[in-house]
Amino acid sequence: MSSPTTRGRPGAAMSTVVMTSPGVRAEVEDHYFSYALTMDDRRPNDWVATFLDSGVYAVGTHNNVSTTGMWWYTDRGLGALKERAAYTNGYLRHNPTRTLHTVTNVRAAETGDGRIEAAAYFVLYVTDRTDLSRLHVCGRYDDVLVRTDGGLRFAEHRVVIDAETLPANMGVLL
């Protein structure tokens, strides 16, 4: 994957040409599509279940991540992920927006240790109380996935926002 932000380490990049078997790519796409529906269906508690108990969720801007390796926030482990879900549940009760996540350009490569390094582009649209829909944010997912009995789960889910600053409303999950 071509970004210098792969897994949050400047210079840690995979090749821009990733030979992914169609089965692995389809498996990862299905995971991303289910993940997006979990957020769009307003199920933050189920969002937590998309991670390993030791999973990492991090969000940063392209400029910060690619130049300094700095993330806006990083949630590590089940406790922090549950706190993020609780915050989102409260936010959704007081600000009933609707979201539409789209995920595209999925790339994936199996690693020697049984994990899958994956990347994709995402776009998030938000519809507010007045039914006005607008682009909220777009960017890239840089992830490490692990196969479990329940399907793929995130060991690391790093969201790199393609902007200089984070959107004003970060109550939604990316």
Side-chain angles (χ1 to χ4, degrees), residues 3-5 60-68 140 160-164:
S3 170
T5 61
T61 62
H62 174 75
N63 188 46
N64 280 343
V65 172
S66 64
T67 60
T68 66
R140 172 189 177 101
V160 182
I161 294 174
D162 192 24
E164 293 299 313

Side-chain angles (χ1 to χ4, degrees), residues 100 102 122-127 132-139 167:
L100 175 69
T102 59
F122 75 93
V123 178
L124 171 59
Y125 300 94
V126 174
T127 302
L132 175 65
S133 296
R134 60 181 162 57
L135 172 67
H136 183 66
V137 68
C138 62

Side-chain angles (χ1 to χ4, degrees), residues 91-126:
Y91 173 82
L92 292 173
R93 283 191 193 101
H94 296 289
N95 190 10
T97 58
R98 292 186 313 273
T99 61
L100 175 69
H101 290 77
T102 59
V103 181
T104 188
N105 292 39
V106 174
R107 292 148 336 268
E110 293 185 287
T111 63
D113 61 0
R115 295 176 174 236
I116 299 171
E117 290 186 358
Y121 297 136
F122 75 93
V123 178
L124 171 59
Y125 300 94
V126 174

Side-chain angles (χ1 to χ4, degrees), residues 1-7 9-18 62 66 105 107-108 117-121 140-142:
M1 298 172 210
S2 61
S3 170
T5 61
T6 299
R7 294 199 350 234
R9 297 186 322 257
M14 295 174 65
S15 166
T16 57
V17 178
V18 177
H62 174 75
S66 64
N105 292 39
R107 292 148 336 268
E117 290 186 358
Y121 297 136
R140 172 189 177 101
Y141 293 151
D142 282 324

